[in-house]
Amino acid sequence: NLNVGDNTITVVGTAQDGVTTQTYTITVNRAAPASNVATLANLVLSQGTLTPAFASGTTIYTASVGNAVTSLTVTPTVTDANATVTVNGNTVASGNASGAIN
């Protein structure tokens, strides 16, 4: 069985003379099982404050901004580095701000 991570396979070819050999090494990297973690580790607004304060298990927030604020960005950070995240349907790199939301 292949383990998660690097697995080394050695293949040795032996010539007809029974003495001469050539060794080949193959490193097979088995990926870890896909994660089922879809939570965020952090969620930050460029304007306003989340209410309640961010917590990974909380999924509904409110925020208020002043009348002069016409747009803001959202910066989500995923818990699992292999997860992806979207803001209003647009993919955002984890830990980076979304495009302006007007």
Side-chain angles (χ1 to χ4, degrees):
N1 291 338
L2 293 175
N3 295 316
V4 171
D6 288 344
N7 296 267
T8 302
I9 300 169
T10 304
V11 179
V12 178
T14 304
Q16 187 178 13
D17 65 11
V19 177
T20 307
T21 62
Q22 183 68 47
T23 303
Y24 299 84
T25 303
I26 305 164
T27 301
V28 177
N29 184 285
R30 178 180 171 205
S35 169
N36 64 354
V37 175
T39 58
L40 295 180
N42 202 7
L43 184 60
V44 177
L45 302 177
S46 62
Q47 301 287 324
T49 302
L50 293 176
T51 302
F54 176 77
S56 185
T58 302
T59 59
I60 298 175
Y61 297 90
T62 59
S64 295
V65 297
N67 182 271
V69 176
T70 59
S71 71
L72 57 82
T73 62
V74 176
T75 302
T77 303
V78 295
T79 301
D80 182 315
N82 294 313
T84 59
V85 63
T86 62
V87 175
N88 282 347
N90 297 306
T91 301
V92 175
S94 177
N96 290 301
S98 67
I101 300 168
N102 301 322

